[in-house]
Structures are given as structure tokens and as C-alpha cells.
């Protein structure tokens, strides 16, 4: 309930303070009701299973929350969240010949996609020209370290896991990439607003001079 309040900016119903099973189920149901109120269809996710520690159900609920509050609002040219995020990645990395983003799993294995996203927006943070496609561990760790240190994006992924897996987890990659989208799109909006203010000020100055 606290997590949902923090990421939504809204208040949920008052939680039950008791420690009995019935109180725990009541609190989880309040969280599920809030998620449902945001237009999310909860399929086969029940409060009882979550209270009982059903890992699959709990992970399913967490993914539902991530999808709704971190990914669903992403839209590029009226596409859905997943397609919109993929299109954004493709456009941002288009100038990089050795990057070809087609999905949210194997396209990111060599780490160059992550590095390209960072370099496109903050070229001073990564010396992209020195990166090699045949050194994925260095590329991935470089991107993850820079993102954590300079962009406040937590290290959600493990470089060794990505390299050592034939097909990295799509949900994990998508969640991590969405953090880049929010970090850079927010900065871009602020820059656009600043440019507009500068233009207005310039016009005002010209008018005053006249």
C-alpha cells in the first residue's frame, strides 16, 4: 500500500493495523482494488495467495504495478507502451551503426544499446568510440555504473546474468530501459520549456528596444 502511494502520488484507503491473517488479506485487497481502479485487469492474482507468500503471484502483482506506473504511460506517436518504448529506443540509437534494437531481450546483450542511449543524451559520460562489440561485460557494466552514478538509475540488472543467458528476461530489460526513458524525456521536456521561455524573453526584449 505504501509503495502504491509513493509511485502514484495518491492516498489509499486506511490500512488495517492488526497482525492477524484477516487484516493482512484486507490490506492486500485494498492494494489490489487501487490497482484495479487504475484500469488494470488483475487476472488470477488473489490477496490470499500473496499473504501466504506465493512467489509467482507476488511477482505477477509487482510486474503489474511496474507495467501500469512505469511503462503504460509511455507513448510515441500514439503507439502502445511497449511498442512506444521500443520505437523511442530505435530512434535514439539509429545513428549508431553497431546497434540494432529490435526487441527487449537479445538486442541488448552486447551492452552497446544501453551505452548508445546514454551517449545520445549525455555524450560526455561515455567514450562510445572506445567500446567494442565483442566485450559485452565491459559495455554493460559501463552503462550500469554510469547510469547509477550520474542519472540516478539504480542497477536493476546484472551484467554476468545477461551475457550468460541465451535470452535475457524481457520484463527486466523493459523495466530498466523505461528508467532511461523517464530520465531523458523529463530532461528533454525541461529543455524544451527553457527554450520556449528564452524565445519569449527575446521577443519581449526586442519589443522593449523598439
Amino acid at each position: 500500500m505504501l509503495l502504491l502511494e509513493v509511485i502514484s502520488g495518491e492516498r489509499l484507503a486506511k490500512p488495517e493495523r492488526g497482525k492477524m491473517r484477516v487484516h493482512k488479506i484486507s490490506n492486500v485487497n485494498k492494494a489490489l482494488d487501487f490497482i484495479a481502479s487504475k484500469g488494470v485487469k488483475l487476472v488470477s492474482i488473489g490477496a490470499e495467495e500473496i499473504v501466504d507468500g506465493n512467489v509467482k503471484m507476488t511477482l505477477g502483482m509487482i510486474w503489474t504495478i511496474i507495467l501500469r506506473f512505469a511503462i503504460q504511460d509511455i507513448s510515441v506517436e500514439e503507439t502502445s507502451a511497449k511498442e512506444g518504448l521500443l520505437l523511442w529506443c530505435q530512434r535514439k540509437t539509429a545513428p549508431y551503426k553497431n546497434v540494432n534494437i529490435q526487441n527487449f531481450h537479445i538486442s541488448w546483450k552486447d551492452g552497446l544499446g544501453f551505452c548508445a542511449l546514454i551517449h545520445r543524451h549525455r555524450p560526455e559520460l561515455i567514450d562510445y568510440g572506445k567500446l567494442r562489440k565483442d566485450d559485452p561485460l565491459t559495455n554493460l557494466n559501463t552503462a550500469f555504473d554510469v547510469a547509477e552514478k550520474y542519472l540516478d538509475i539504480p542497477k536493476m540488472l546484472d551484467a554476468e546474468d545477461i551475457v550468460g543467458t541465451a535470452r535475457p528476461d524481457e520484463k527486466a530489460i523493459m523495466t530498466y530501459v523505461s528508467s532511461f526513458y523517464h530520465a531523458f524525456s523529463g530532461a528533454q521536456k525541461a529543455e524544451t520549456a527553457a527554450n520556449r521561455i528564452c524565445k519569449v524573453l527575446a521577443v519581449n526584449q526586442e519589443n522593449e528596444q523598439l
Side-chain angles (χ1 to χ4, degrees), residues 3-10 12 31-32 34-40 61-74 81 175 178 182:
L3 172 65
L4 287 169
E5 286 190 346
V6 169
I7 61 179
S8 71
E10 300 179 32
L12 273 70
L32 295 177
F34 179 79
I35 296 171
S37 74
K38 296 300 176 183
V40 179
M61 184 181 69
I62 292 172
W63 171 243
T64 299
I65 292 171
I66 291 171
L67 198 59
R68 170 59 184 86
F69 293 100
I71 298 174
Q72 186 172 307
D73 291 336
I74 295 173
T175 302
S178 73
H182 291 300

Side-chain angles (χ1 to χ4, degrees), residues 39-186:
V40 179
K41 291 183 178 179
L42 296 170
V43 181
S44 302
I45 297 178
E48 291 80 3
E49 289 86 358
I50 292 171
V51 170
D52 290 339
N54 185 310
V55 176
K56 188 174 181 179
M57 288 288 186
T58 305
L59 290 174
M61 184 181 69
I62 292 172
W63 171 243
T64 299
I65 292 171
I66 291 171
L67 198 59
R68 170 59 184 86
F69 293 100
I71 298 174
Q72 186 172 307
D73 291 336
I74 295 173
S75 179
V76 179
E77 292 188 1
E78 300 181 358
T79 58
S80 68
K82 183 178 179 180
E83 286 74 20
L85 184 59
L86 187 63
L87 179 59
W88 178 79
C89 293
Q90 289 170 338
R91 287 185 172 177
K92 294 299 179 181
T93 60
Y96 301 83
K97 293 181 180 179
N98 50 358
V99 177
N100 183 23
I101 304 300
Q102 297 297 324
N103 50 56
F104 286 110
H105 37 86
I106 59 174
S107 290
W108 304 85
K109 279 194 70 171
D110 60 15
L112 292 177
F114 296 114
C115 292
L117 279 180
I118 296 173
H119 186 267
R120 180 70 186 272
H121 296 90
R122 297 285 300 278
E124 76 280 5
L125 297 180
I126 288 181
D127 188 351
Y128 191 85
K130 289 186 177 180
L131 300 176
R132 300 196 332 265
K133 194 174 182 66
D134 61 355
D135 190 6
L137 276 177
T138 297
N139 301 337
L140 289 165
N141 283 318
T142 296
F144 298 164
D145 291 342
V146 168
E148 184 175 48
K149 185 175 181 180
Y150 297 102
L151 305 175
D152 292 325
I153 297 175
K155 230 182 250 190
M156 302 178 196
L157 306 175
D158 183 81
E160 285 75 14
D161 285 348
I162 293 175
V163 172
T165 305
R167 179 187 165 113
D169 184 76
E170 185 178 50
K171 291 186 174 83
I173 298 283
M174 200 184 348
T175 302
Y176 187 61
V177 172
S178 73
S179 299
F180 285 88
Y181 174 86
H182 291 300
F184 293 133
S185 66

